[in-house]
Amino acid sequence: MDKELRSKILSLVEGDARLTKERIAVMLDKSVEEISRAMEELENEGVILGYKALVDWDKTDKEYVTALIELKVTPQRDRGFEKVAERIANYPEVKDMYLMSGAYDYCVIIEGKTMKQVALFVAEKLATIENVLSTSTHFVLRKYKNNGVSFGMGEDDVADERGNIN
């Protein structure tokens, strides 16, 4: 598949995972079969990893807390940061994890039912990993934007085309 088609398909499904292959075919002036083959190839290559909806959980009854945890670690000989990252990423509480530049090595985003549950996870699981030197936990108080989608902003708080808040 050519790079341009690949890029267009990825941009479309990233923007709206509900788009059908038929709709994408119409939007890109391609056959449904061509789009199906291309998407299957992208999935098989691990480029498309899944299709998700963004949910504003604050508008539901779900009780949860999100925390951003910065970790400073010692890289392992011959494995660098990978082995420690694999171990941490395997915890079900971990929603996102990034290798970072700067004062900390990893940024780990987790969810728990309470602040206490998150604190216990950090103290009992993350901080006890052999190569973890230090942690710094930050609790998310309010989510304003995720994956380019605004959350919980009223009509009066919407930015205009130049980015000014009205």
Side-chain angles (χ1 to χ4, degrees), residues 35-52:
I35 296 300
S36 293
R37 280 192 309 275
M39 290 184 70
E40 184 176 340
E41 184 179 317
L42 290 164
E43 291 166 358
N44 290 338
E45 291 175 8
V47 176
I48 295 178
L49 299 173
Y51 302 87
K52 295 186 98 171

Side-chain angles (χ1 to χ4, degrees), residues 2 18 33 48 50 55 69 82 86 94 96 105 136:
D2 70 31
R18 295 179 304 161
E33 294 77 22
I48 295 178
V55 177
I69 303 156
E82 297 307 309
E86 287 171 14
V94 174
D96 299 292
D105 300 306
S136 179

